[in-house]
Amino acid sequence: MKFEVRQFKRRAFSVLFLLQPFIPEQASTVAGHVDRFYYFMVAISVLLAAAVALLEIYFAIKYRRRAPDEIPRQILGSIKLESLVVVFLFILFTGMFVWGTSLYFTLYRPPREAMEIYVVGKQWMFLFQHPEGAREINELHVPVGRRVKLVMTSQDVIHSFFVPAFRVKSDMLPGRERYTTVWFEATKPGRYRIFCAEYCGTEHSSMGGWATVMEPSEYQAWLTKAGSAAATGMAGGGAGQTMAATGESLFQSLGCANCHSGSALAQCPALTGIFGKTVKLQNGQTATVDESYLRESILNPKAKVVAGYEPVMPAYQNVVSEEQTQQLIAYIRTLAAPKTPSGSGSPEAVSPKK
Amino acid sequence: MQEITTPNTHHAPAAHPSVIHKMPRVHYLNANYGWRSWLFTVDHKRIGILYLVSITFYFVLGGIYATLIRLELATPQGDLLKAETYNKFFTQHGIIMVFFFLIPSIPAVLGNFLIPIMIGARDVAFPKLNLASWYIFNLGGFFMLYAVINGGVDTGWTFYTPYSSQFALGNVAPAALGIFIAGFSSILTGLNFIVTIHAMRAPGMTWFRLPLFVWALYATAIIQILGTPVIAITLAAVGLERLLHLGIFDPAYGGDPVLFQHLFWFYSHPAVYIMVLPAMGVVSELVANMTRKRIFGYTFVAFASIAIAVFGFMVWGHHMFVSGQGMYAGMIFSFLSFALSIPSAIKVFNWTATLYKGSISYDTPMLYAFGFVGLFTIGGLTGLFLAAMGLDVHVTDTYFVIAHFHYIMVGGALMAYLGGLHFWWPKLAGRMYPEGWGRLSALIVFVGFNLTFFPQFLLGYAGMPRRYHAYPEEYQVLNVMSSAGASILAVGLAFPIIYLIWSMRYGPVASANPWGAIGLEWTTSSPPPTENFDHSPVVTWEAYGFRPLEESEVVGQMTPDDRPA
């Protein structure tokens, strides 16, 4: 009996190996899980489809019409048989549902400890900002063996960040409500394709690039180099500064500090230590101060006003870009825990410059 | 000239190919002549033919776009078409095939022609409304064609905001208006069918004597009436937002782009059932009549249609697992999607079981029915991949999805439409199509279809996103296979258009019942008279009553007495 099972397994797998050339490279911790589930689904589908096909062919041959005026005996049906099929399928499908859903939660629930990279999509490019200050377009450098959480938004239409080798995909939404996030942990140094998976206009098919997975030491070296390159490189970037530092200078130049001064008489809430806290809102509800809440409060401050304050802050929607918003958020995050790293990046890179 | 006027046969007349039949002297096609007799007709059969002409035009147009898309994708570089042009072509392919071919195909052509005859009525409940729906359809088509000629529309058939409402290149409003207007023809057709089926059944035609095709179109009509208004207001909102900057979906004006997706899929997922439920109905007729057996588990098949129509409204969120929808909402949609696949699976089981101990014909309609069952099974099973959230993340928005829904819409709906068209062609045209050509093209369609779309499953898992004008070279082999298959498929689909037109003049004259089938439509002449029956039929037999029920074998506990009256 055991032997038969093993033999059956081997045979089933030898069929599934036909799929091998069409499986993208596995370069993240979840890729193997997704592929295992895929193999399972293929195996079940092949079995069921083969059962239907073989029965059809067998019946078609065996019960072919032999005389033009033949009328076969009639069979009405069978409640027993139908119920059996329903119960069998229900159990099978419930199993698929449970496996598929738990996989989704693994893929989508962001881990607590992860380095964060901010992403903005726009027609037709991906802009990445590392907290340490490095900024890149259509290229994403990440270290191997570390969880990376992407905090994503779009400046114009809906885009979707997709790396087949990591088996992750998430839409990037424009609008002031929320960031979307996706996380992965790369397992193999190399270069992997990034695609935009949501149709976004004329050059949709050329929107994308490469994710470069590096050894951690190489990654550190790259960060330093790229950080200083940013000084002379892209417009609006901080001059070789961390995102938080760039955010801080924005915070000053936009005059945020005038109201968010932290003094008891200030018109607006103090921001020190606010990240990650839960605040009470005017309408009696509460909100957790995360990236999405901060973003909404910068771009459309009247949406969720903290209790005890007047809605006096102007909307910054058309004043700051999505990237600058992310820099401001990176700065506000550092105010949350000035002494310890805020769960992202390396300590020396993220702590404020003071 | 009718062979049987009171058609209570326990024994269907068999086909006698050697006998030369004579057409009735007067029938609906020659009852009167001239363009007015067609354009102002209120005869449901003529309206069915009008629809047939219209949707064949759209089918050819959509097919031309498909051909150009596959030609472009034969090479990785975007060398045949400009990116902008390619985007317009896949958009127009989608809009035309979904809204102007598949949705009206079986209901408006076969449904219009057959439903009154199948239930023993003289016409539909509202014949003038029926004609109006054809004009409304063409008015919608006019605006859509205007959008195409005026420079084309490039939003994708899904019209996702804010791309469609703010960034698209143009013609969004006329295209949306076209779909908005055509939607009303769908609503009116559905309304007409529901009232007709309720109110106009012949004496003795109880609900559980109805052919399963009628059950299927009844279920479809529910979706047409309840779902179509939602897509209509949604597209109207997109058009208005584009023109007046209203701020419903566009975040720049304070709207929510994901709201659009909810509204769009609230209709467009059930719309899949507008395409596939009638197809299932056709296949039930084909399987029963081409095997001369009552459908195994008639009541299960009938109620499965209703279940699909109702629960089809509760699964739209499975299109949005990576769209920033809440995880727990996604979970519910995933579970309901799995549950919804059970009634479809039951139907596949029942069709297969019907073959058991049947008298199976290999004529063209049955070949299409076989093709349908096989391809629909693959389409359904791959739907489970997409309903499983963890797997959907990787394969959504890739060619896997393209392959999946073409298996349902082409492998399912189109195959059934072609099978039905061949099956009822003698009734429509009064003449037989050439059987040899019919079988040959059914085979070509099946082979070409699989070669076109099966590689796309592999392509999708390998990571190739949909709607790509140019693609990385590693995907070329599979794309070339797909394009090669598409050329075979095109040949297989061109044949029926040619030989069906040929047969209208040169085909052998059909008898009233060339298949030896059971059903009221086979009791009247081919083609039927304008009033369908010489005198009103009285139904005294069950659906597919090849033999009286008392002679039927009962498996398990189901006896005739158990079935609801």
Side-chain angles (χ1 to χ4, degrees):
Chain A
M1 184 62 197
K2 242 182 198 163
F3 174 72
E4 274 170 24
V5 170
R6 207 181 307 145
Q7 207 179 27
F8 171 75
K9 263 190 177 167
R10 197 179 309 143
R11 220 173 279 161
F13 272 104
S14 66
V15 174
L16 293 181
F17 277 131
L18 289 175
L19 284 176
Q20 204 85 79
F22 309 110
I23 304 289
E25 206 167 343
Q26 296 182 344
S28 75
T29 48
V30 295
H33 296 284
V34 175
D35 289 353
R36 219 165 304 139
F37 186 42
Y38 176 63
Y39 280 127
F40 166 77
M41 294 293 286
V42 171
I44 298 282
S45 302
V46 168
L47 285 177
L48 290 177
V52 171
L54 290 176
L55 274 176
E56 303 261 325
I57 293 169
Y58 174 74
F59 288 161
I61 294 169
K62 178 137 195 237
Y63 303 114
R64 67 185 178 277
R65 185 168 298 169
R66 287 157 204 272
D69 53 355
E70 184 178 58
I71 301 287
R73 267 186 73 74
Q74 304 291 303
I75 302 171
L76 288 185
S78 157
I79 289 183
K80 220 184 257 173
L81 212 53
E82 307 264 10
S83 315
L84 215 67
V85 174
V86 170
V87 170
F88 165 74
L89 291 177
F90 188 79
I91 292 170
L92 182 68
F93 292 170
T94 306
M96 290 176 178
F97 164 75
V98 169
W99 191 347
T101 306
S102 69
L103 189 60
Y104 181 81
F105 276 70
T106 317
L107 285 172
Y108 256 58
R109 203 154 38 189
R112 261 191 222 119
E113 290 291 312
M115 58 179 272
E116 294 191 353
I117 296 175
Y118 291 83
V119 194
V120 178
K122 62 184 211 177
Q123 287 178 325
W124 289 278
M125 57 181 79
F126 290 103
L127 306 162
F128 299 96
Q129 295 193 80
H130 297 251
E132 296 81 354
R135 315 174 68 217
E136 36 185 351
I137 293 181
N138 293 341
E139 291 277 340
L140 170 63
H141 289 75
V142 289
V144 74
R146 280 203 57 187
R147 292 185 198 133
V148 178
K149 180 175 143 192
L150 303 182
V151 179
M152 309 192 295
T153 189
S154 165
Q155 196 171 304
D156 37 45
V157 300
I158 299 175
H159 302 280
S160 190
F161 177 86
F162 178 32
V163 180
F166 297 162
R167 311 285 190 276
V168 292
K169 183 185 290 140
S170 179
D171 284 5
M172 308 163 74
L173 303 174
R176 43 203 184 190
E177 271 191 20
R178 62 192 181 278
Y179 287 116
T180 52
T181 62
V182 73
W183 78 274
F184 57 85
E185 181 181 334
T187 52
K188 226 170 25 175
R191 274 166 71 74
Y192 309 101
R193 283 190 189 280
I194 302 172
F195 290 122
C196 174
E198 184 63 64
Y199 174 65
C200 59
T202 307
E203 295 299 328
H204 167 55
S205 69
S206 59
M207 177 166 170
W210 295 92
T212 305
V213 178
M214 312 167 99
E215 292 298 343
S217 55
E218 283 175 57
Y219 176 69
Q220 279 309 325
W222 175 85
L223 265 185
T224 321
K225 216 176 104 204
S228 57
T232 51
M234 294 157 56
Q241 293 173 315
T242 62
M243 265 181 92
T246 316
E248 188 186 2
S249 28
L250 267 174
F251 194 80
Q252 299 300 342
S253 64
L254 291 168
C256 310
N258 296 345
C259 301
H260 292 282
S261 60
S263 83
L265 295 171
Q267 283 179 292
C268 306
L271 300 177
T272 310
I274 205 170
F275 191 87
K277 294 272 165 51
T278 303
V279 292
K280 248 202 152 130
L281 302 180
Q282 245 178 5
N283 62 6
Q285 293 178 320
T286 58
T288 305
V289 182
D290 56 6
E291 291 98 339
S292 295
Y293 176 76
L294 286 177
R295 173 163 177 266
E296 187 179 24
S297 297
I298 295 169
L299 300 180
N300 182 28
K302 290 184 181 59
K304 287 175 188 152
V305 180
V306 175
Y309 291 91
E310 290 301 311
V312 293
M313 178 172 158
Y316 279 79
Q317 185 158 35
N318 298 315
V319 181
V320 293
S321 69
E322 290 290 354
E323 290 157 270
Q324 288 173 326
T325 310
Q326 290 176 341
Q327 290 158 357
L328 284 169
I329 292 169
Y331 169 65
I332 295 168
R333 284 185 64 128
T334 62
L335 298 175
K339 288 288 177 275
T340 53
S342 58
S344 74
S346 49
E348 64 275 21
V350 186
S351 53
K353 271 182 66 169
K354 281 175 191 169
Chain B
M1 290 308 293
Q2 281 173 258
E3 291 178 356
I4 354 152
T5 38
T6 334
N8 180 11
T9 63
H10 293 160
H11 183 99
H16 292 295
S18 54
V19 179
I20 295 174
H21 300 281
K22 274 176 73 183
M23 258 195 214
R25 202 172 57 79
V26 180
H27 50 77
Y28 84 101
L29 288 171
N30 69 5
N32 35 39
Y33 291 99
W35 61 271
R36 285 164 164 278
S37 78
W38 282 90
L39 293 185
F40 298 125
T41 183
V42 288
D43 179 358
H44 65 101
K45 299 180 288 302
R46 284 194 167 200
I47 294 169
I49 301 286
L50 290 176
Y51 266 112
L52 176 65
V53 173
S54 299
I55 70 161
T56 305
F57 165 74
Y58 288 115
F59 177 69
V60 171
L61 187 60
I64 291 171
Y65 286 129
T67 312
L68 290 167
I69 289 168
R70 281 318 321 170
L71 265 177
E72 167 64 68
L73 293 176
T75 57
Q77 308 79 23
D79 35 19
L80 180 69
L81 307 168
K82 285 193 296 181
E84 196 183 306
T85 316
Y86 178 84
N87 294 344
K88 287 176 180 167
F89 282 9
F90 75 66
T91 301
Q92 289 156 14
H93 168 73
I95 293 177
I96 290 172
M97 287 302 204
V98 169
F99 296 108
F100 292 91
F101 174 68
L102 282 168
I103 286 179
S105 64
I106 296 175
V109 177
L110 298 176
N112 256 327
F113 190 93
L114 290 166
I115 284 194
I117 311 186
M118 279 182 162
I119 65 172
R122 195 193 167 285
D123 206 321
V124 292
F126 309 115
K128 285 178 188 158
L129 203 60
N130 201 16
L131 180 65
S133 82
W134 180 72
Y135 279 102
I136 292 170
F137 175 74
N138 284 313
L139 185 67
F142 168 80
F143 280 105
M144 198 273 307
L145 289 176
Y146 168 79
V148 168
I149 292 165
N150 195 33
V153 55
D154 75 330
T155 56
W157 80 277
T158 45
F159 289 93
Y160 268 23
T161 53
Y163 185 75
S164 61
S165 61
Q166 198 188 341
F167 294 85
L169 296 177
N171 295 310
V172 177
L177 183 63
I179 296 168
F180 179 85
I181 294 173
F184 283 95
S185 100
S186 187
I187 295 172
L188 294 179
T189 301
L191 186 73
N192 226 331
F193 286 173
I194 287 190
V195 178
T196 306
I197 295 167
H198 270 280
M200 302 187 65
R201 282 170 288 126
M205 180 56 96
T206 60
W207 281 91
F208 290 93
R209 282 176 175 171
L210 286 173
L212 286 165
F213 179 74
V214 178
W215 272 100
L217 281 186
Y218 184 86
T220 309
I222 296 174
I223 307 176
Q224 287 175 307
I225 289 180
L226 296 182
T228 316
V230 179
I231 189 82
I233 54 154
T234 308
L235 289 177
V238 169
L240 290 176
E241 179 160 286
R242 195 170 163 87
L243 300 172
L244 308 173
H245 308 301
L246 288 184
I248 304 165
F249 306 124
D250 192 334
Y253 308 113
D256 178 2
V258 180
L259 173 66
F260 172 85
Q261 297 178 25
H262 282 289
L263 292 172
F264 180 83
W265 291 116
F266 183 81
Y267 166 78
S268 293
H269 191 78
V272 175
Y273 302 112
I274 296 185
M275 304 172 210
V276 94
L277 274 173
M280 291 167 156
V282 168
V283 169
S284 294
E285 296 302 307
L286 299 186
V287 169
N289 285 311
M290 302 309 274
T291 61
R292 302 223 175 109
K293 265 189 82 198
R294 186 186 161 85
I295 287 283
F296 187 89
Y298 170 98
T299 30
F300 277 89
V301 177
F303 282 122
S305 290
I306 305 293
I308 290 170
V310 173
F311 292 106
F313 277 110
M314 301 176 193
V315 298
W316 78 89
H318 67 209
H319 293 267
M320 300 168 60
F321 291 151
V322 303
S323 302
Q325 171 183 253
M327 283 198 224
Y328 295 98
M331 225 170 108
I332 291 164
F333 285 125
S334 169
F335 185 78
L336 289 173
S337 306
F338 276 109
L340 183 61
S341 59
I342 293 177
S344 299
I346 278 292
K347 289 192 176 218
V348 171
F349 168 77
N350 283 321
W351 293 320
T352 309
T354 306
L355 300 179
Y356 175 67
K357 291 191 175 172
S359 165
I360 300 171
S361 150
Y362 293 168
D363 287 336
T364 310
M366 192 60 197
L367 298 187
Y368 278 113
F370 278 130
F372 173 94
V373 174
L375 300 180
F376 180 75
T377 301
I378 295 176
L381 286 166
T382 50
L384 301 174
F385 288 56
L386 295 163
M389 303 165 88
L391 204 47
D392 181 74
V393 169
H394 179 61
V395 290
T396 189
D397 282 325
T398 71
Y399 266 82
F400 192 95
V401 174
I402 306 289
H404 158 72
F405 74 67
H406 280 90
Y407 265 80
I408 298 290
M409 293 182 186
V410 182
L414 180 64
M415 294 289 258
Y417 173 68
L418 287 173
L421 206 55
H422 283 82
F423 183 65
W424 284 293
W425 190 253
K427 200 52 68 180
L428 255 81
R431 290 174 184 271
M432 300 300 291
Y433 59 88
E435 186 59 46
W437 284 100
R439 288 178 186 169
L440 179 69
S441 38
L443 192 72
I444 296 174
V445 166
F446 185 79
V447 171
F449 174 83
N450 280 298
L451 188 56
T452 310
F453 293 105
F454 199 83
Q456 295 184 3
F457 284 123
L458 304 172
L459 210 47
Y461 201 82
M464 179 167 162
R466 68 191 288 196
R467 296 173 168 173
Y468 263 33
H469 164 240
Y471 56 85
E473 272 174 25
E474 58 257 37
Y475 299 130
Q476 192 179 6
V477 176
L478 290 167
N479 268 300
V480 168
M481 284 168 72
S482 182
S483 293
S487 61
I488 298 174
L489 181 59
V491 171
L493 292 174
F495 277 164
I497 296 181
I498 297 166
Y499 67 68
L500 288 179
I501 292 174
W502 173 89
S503 76
M504 289 199 298
R505 198 176 173 95
Y506 303 105
V509 173
S511 70
N513 187 2
W515 310 113
I518 296 278
L520 278 177
E521 76 271 30
W522 304 110
T523 65
T524 184
S525 61
S526 301
T530 302
E531 48 289 334
N532 294 342
F533 301 96
D534 285 347
H535 45 263
S536 295
V538 176
V539 181
T540 54
W541 66 95
E542 302 302 309
Y544 320 114
F546 287 95
R547 285 174 191 272
L549 277 181
E550 306 83 63
E551 284 178 32
S552 301
E553 197 175 318
V554 178
V555 183
Q557 304 123 318
M558 196 188 217
T559 67
D561 311 322
D562 287 338
R563 293 173 316 102

Coordinates of all heavy atoms in Angstrom, one line a residue, chain A residues 77-119:
Chain A
G77 N -32.2 10.4 -13.2 CA -31.3 11.1 -12.4 C -31.1 10.3 -11.0 O -31.7 9.3 -10.8
S78 N -30.3 10.9 -10.2 CA -30.1 10.3 -8.9 C -29.7 11.3 -7.9 O -28.6 11.9 -8.0 CB -29.0 9.2 -9.0 OG -28.4 9.0 -7.8
I79 N -30.6 11.5 -6.9 CA -30.3 12.5 -5.9 C -29.0 12.1 -5.1 O -28.2 12.9 -4.7 CB -31.5 12.7 -4.9 CG1 -32.6 13.4 -5.7 CG2 -31.1 13.5 -3.7 CD1 -33.8 13.7 -4.9
K80 N -28.9 10.8 -4.9 CA -27.8 10.2 -4.1 C -26.5 10.6 -4.8 O -25.6 11.1 -4.2 CB -27.9 8.7 -4.0 CG -27.5 8.2 -2.6 CD -27.6 6.7 -2.6 CE -28.9 6.2 -1.9 NZ -29.0 4.7 -2.0
L81 N -26.4 10.3 -6.1 CA -25.2 10.6 -6.8 C -24.9 12.1 -6.9 O -23.7 12.5 -6.7 CB -25.3 10.0 -8.2 CG -24.1 9.5 -8.9 CD1 -23.4 8.5 -8.1 CD2 -24.5 8.9 -10.3
E82 N -25.9 12.9 -7.1 CA -25.7 14.3 -7.2 C -25.2 14.9 -5.8 O -24.2 15.7 -5.8 CB -27.0 15.1 -7.5 CG -27.7 14.6 -8.8 CD -27.4 15.4 -10.0 OE1 -26.5 16.2 -10.0 OE2 -28.1 15.1 -11.0
S83 N -25.8 14.4 -4.8 CA -25.4 14.9 -3.4 C -23.9 14.5 -3.2 O -23.2 15.2 -2.6 CB -26.3 14.3 -2.3 OG -27.6 14.3 -2.7
L84 N -23.6 13.3 -3.6 CA -22.2 12.8 -3.4 C -21.2 13.7 -4.1 O -20.2 14.1 -3.5 CB -22.1 11.4 -3.9 CG -21.2 10.4 -3.2 CD1 -21.8 10.1 -1.8 CD2 -21.1 9.1 -4.0
V85 N -21.6 14.1 -5.3 CA -20.7 15.0 -6.1 C -20.6 16.3 -5.4 O -19.5 16.9 -5.2 CB -21.2 15.1 -7.5 CG1 -20.4 16.2 -8.3 CG2 -21.2 13.8 -8.3
V86 N -21.7 16.8 -4.9 CA -21.7 18.1 -4.3 C -20.8 18.1 -3.0 O -20.0 19.0 -2.8 CB -23.1 18.6 -3.9 CG1 -23.1 19.8 -3.0 CG2 -23.9 18.9 -5.2
V87 N -21.0 17.1 -2.2 CA -20.3 17.0 -1.0 C -18.8 16.8 -1.3 O -17.9 17.5 -0.7 CB -20.8 15.8 -0.1 CG1 -19.8 15.5 1.1 CG2 -22.2 16.1 0.4
F88 N -18.4 16.0 -2.2 CA -17.0 15.8 -2.6 C -16.4 17.1 -3.0 O -15.3 17.5 -2.6 CB -16.9 14.7 -3.7 CG -15.6 14.7 -4.4 CD1 -14.5 14.2 -3.8 CD2 -15.5 15.2 -5.7 CE1 -13.2 14.2 -4.4 CE2 -14.2 15.2 -6.3 CZ -13.1 14.7 -5.7
L89 N -17.1 17.8 -3.9 CA -16.6 19.1 -4.4 C -16.5 20.1 -3.3 O -15.5 20.9 -3.2 CB -17.4 19.6 -5.6 CG -17.4 18.8 -6.9 CD1 -18.3 19.4 -7.9 CD2 -16.0 18.8 -7.4
F90 N -17.5 20.1 -2.4 CA -17.4 21.1 -1.4 C -16.2 20.9 -0.5 O -15.5 21.9 -0.1 CB -18.7 21.0 -0.5 CG -18.9 22.1 0.4 CD1 -19.3 23.4 0.0 CD2 -18.5 21.9 1.8 CE1 -19.4 24.4 0.9 CE2 -18.6 23.0 2.7 CZ -19.0 24.2 2.2
I91 N -15.9 19.7 -0.1 CA -14.8 19.4 0.7 C -13.5 19.8 0.0 O -12.6 20.5 0.5 CB -14.8 17.9 1.1 CG1 -16.0 17.6 2.0 CG2 -13.4 17.5 1.8 CD1 -16.2 16.2 2.3
L92 N -13.4 19.4 -1.3 CA -12.2 19.7 -2.1 C -12.0 21.2 -2.2 O -10.9 21.7 -1.9 CB -12.4 19.1 -3.5 CG -11.2 19.2 -4.4 CD1 -10.0 18.5 -3.9 CD2 -11.5 18.8 -5.8
F93 N -13.1 21.9 -2.5 CA -12.9 23.3 -2.7 C -12.7 24.0 -1.4 O -11.9 25.0 -1.4 CB -14.2 23.9 -3.3 CG -14.4 23.4 -4.8 CD1 -15.6 23.7 -5.4 CD2 -13.4 22.8 -5.4 CE1 -15.8 23.3 -6.7 CE2 -13.6 22.4 -6.8 CZ -14.8 22.6 -7.4
T94 N -13.2 23.6 -0.3 CA -12.9 24.2 1.0 C -11.4 24.0 1.3 O -10.8 25.0 1.8 CB -13.8 23.5 2.1 OG1 -15.2 23.6 1.7 CG2 -13.6 24.3 3.4
G95 N -10.9 22.9 1.0 CA -9.5 22.7 1.2 C -8.7 23.7 0.4 O -7.7 24.3 0.9
M96 N -9.0 23.8 -0.9 CA -8.3 24.8 -1.7 C -8.4 26.2 -1.1 O -7.5 27.0 -1.1 CB -8.9 24.8 -3.1 CG -8.6 23.6 -3.9 SD -9.5 23.7 -5.5 CE -9.0 22.2 -6.3
F97 N -9.7 26.5 -0.7 CA -9.9 27.9 -0.1 C -9.0 28.1 1.1 O -8.4 29.2 1.2 CB -11.4 28.0 0.3 CG -11.7 29.1 1.2 CD1 -11.7 30.4 0.7 CD2 -11.9 28.9 2.5 CE1 -11.9 31.5 1.5 CE2 -12.2 30.0 3.4 CZ -12.1 31.3 2.9
V98 N -8.9 27.1 2.0 CA -8.1 27.3 3.2 C -6.6 27.5 2.9 O -6.0 28.4 3.3 CB -8.3 26.1 4.2 CG1 -7.3 26.1 5.3 CG2 -9.7 26.1 4.7
W99 N -6.2 26.6 2.0 CA -4.7 26.7 1.6 C -4.5 28.1 0.9 O -3.5 28.8 1.3 CB -4.4 25.5 0.7 CG -2.9 25.4 0.4 CD1 -1.9 26.3 0.7 CD2 -2.2 24.3 -0.1 NE1 -0.7 25.8 0.3 CE2 -0.9 24.6 -0.2 CE3 -2.7 23.0 -0.6 CZ2 0.1 23.7 -0.7 CZ3 -1.7 22.1 -1.1 CH2 -0.4 22.5 -1.2
G100 N -5.3 28.4 0.0 CA -5.1 29.6 -0.8 C -5.2 30.9 0.1 O -4.4 31.8 -0.1
T101 N -6.1 30.9 1.0 CA -6.3 32.0 1.9 C -5.1 32.2 2.9 O -4.6 33.3 3.1 CB -7.6 31.9 2.7 OG1 -8.6 31.7 1.7 CG2 -7.8 33.2 3.5
S102 N -4.6 31.0 3.4 CA -3.5 31.1 4.4 C -2.3 31.6 3.6 O -1.5 32.4 4.1 CB -3.3 29.8 5.1 OG -2.8 28.9 4.2
L103 N -2.1 31.2 2.4 CA -1.0 31.6 1.6 C -1.1 33.1 1.3 O -0.1 33.8 1.4 CB -1.0 30.9 0.2 CG 0.2 31.0 -0.7 CD1 1.4 30.5 0.0 CD2 -0.1 30.2 -2.0
Y104 N -2.3 33.6 1.1 CA -2.5 35.0 0.9 C -2.1 35.8 2.1 O -1.5 36.9 2.0 CB -3.9 35.3 0.5 CG -4.3 36.7 0.2 CD1 -4.1 37.2 -1.1 CD2 -5.0 37.5 1.1 CE1 -4.4 38.5 -1.4 CE2 -5.3 38.8 0.8 CZ -5.1 39.3 -0.4 OH -5.4 40.6 -0.7
F105 N -2.5 35.3 3.3 CA -2.2 36.1 4.5 C -0.6 36.1 4.7 O -0.1 37.1 5.1 CB -2.9 35.5 5.7 CG -4.3 36.0 5.8 CD1 -5.3 35.6 4.9 CD2 -4.6 36.9 6.8 CE1 -6.5 36.2 5.0 CE2 -5.9 37.4 6.9 CZ -6.9 37.1 6.0
T106 N 0.0 35.0 4.3 CA 1.5 35.0 4.4 C 2.1 36.1 3.4 O 3.0 36.8 3.8 CB 2.1 33.6 4.0 OG1 1.3 32.6 4.6 CG2 3.5 33.5 4.4
L107 N 1.5 36.1 2.3 CA 2.0 37.0 1.2 C 1.8 38.5 1.5 O 2.5 39.3 1.2 CB 1.4 36.7 -0.1 CG 1.8 35.5 -0.9 CD1 0.9 35.3 -2.1 CD2 3.2 35.6 -1.4
Y108 N 0.6 38.7 2.1 CA 0.1 40.1 2.2 C 0.2 40.8 3.5 O 0.3 42.0 3.6 CB -1.3 40.2 1.7 CG -1.4 40.7 0.3 CD1 -0.7 40.1 -0.7 CD2 -2.1 41.9 0.0 CE1 -0.7 40.6 -2.0 CE2 -2.1 42.4 -1.3 CZ -1.4 41.8 -2.3 OH -1.4 42.3 -3.6
R109 N 0.2 40.0 4.6 CA 0.3 40.6 5.9 C 1.7 41.1 6.2 O 2.6 40.2 6.2 CB -0.2 39.7 7.1 CG -0.7 40.5 8.2 CD -1.7 39.9 9.1 NE -1.4 38.4 9.2 CZ -2.3 37.6 9.8 NH1 -3.4 38.1 10.3 NH2 -2.0 36.3 9.9
P110 N 2.0 42.4 6.3 CA 3.3 42.8 6.4 C 4.0 42.3 7.7 O 3.3 42.4 8.7 CB 3.2 44.3 6.3 CG 1.8 44.6 6.7 CD 1.0 43.5 6.4
P111 N 5.2 41.9 7.6 CA 5.9 41.5 8.8 C 6.2 42.7 9.7 O 6.3 43.8 9.2 CB 7.2 40.8 8.3 CG 7.4 41.5 7.0 CD 6.1 41.9 6.5
R112 N 6.4 42.4 11.0 CA 6.7 43.6 11.9 C 8.1 44.2 11.6 O 8.2 45.4 11.5 CB 6.6 43.1 13.4 CG 5.3 43.4 13.9 CD 5.3 43.3 15.4 NE 4.0 42.6 15.8 CZ 3.8 41.5 16.3 NH1 4.9 40.8 16.7 NH2 2.6 41.0 16.5
E113 N 9.1 43.3 11.5 CA 10.4 43.8 11.3 C 10.7 43.8 9.8 O 10.9 42.7 9.2 CB 11.4 42.9 12.0 CG 11.3 43.1 13.5 CD 11.8 44.4 14.0 OE1 12.9 44.9 13.6 OE2 11.1 45.1 14.8
A114 N 10.8 44.9 9.2 CA 11.1 44.9 7.8 C 11.7 46.2 7.4 O 11.4 47.3 8.0 CB 9.9 44.6 6.9
M115 N 12.7 46.2 6.5 CA 13.2 47.5 6.1 C 12.2 48.1 5.0 O 11.6 47.3 4.3 CB 14.6 47.4 5.5 CG 14.7 46.4 4.3 SD 16.4 46.4 3.6 CE 16.3 47.7 2.4
E116 N 12.0 49.4 5.1 CA 11.0 49.9 4.2 C 11.6 50.7 3.1 O 12.6 51.4 3.2 CB 10.1 50.9 5.0 CG 9.3 50.1 6.1 CD 8.2 50.9 6.7 OE1 8.1 52.1 6.4 OE2 7.4 50.3 7.5
I117 N 11.0 50.5 1.9 CA 11.4 51.3 0.8 C 10.1 52.0 0.2 O 9.1 51.3 0.2 CB 12.1 50.4 -0.3 CG1 13.4 49.9 0.3 CG2 12.3 51.2 -1.6 CD1 14.1 48.9 -0.6
Y118 N 10.2 53.2 -0.1 CA 9.0 53.9 -0.5 C 9.0 53.9 -2.1 O 10.1 54.1 -2.7 CB 9.1 55.4 0.0 CG 8.9 55.4 1.5 CD1 9.9 55.3 2.3 CD2 7.6 55.7 2.0 CE1 9.7 55.3 3.7 CE2 7.4 55.7 3.4 CZ 8.5 55.5 4.2 OH 8.3 55.6 5.6
V119 N 7.8 53.7 -2.6 CA 7.7 53.6 -4.1 C 6.6 54.6 -4.6 O 5.5 54.6 -4.0 CB 7.4 52.2 -4.5 CG1 7.6 52.0 -6.0 CG2 8.1 51.2 -3.8

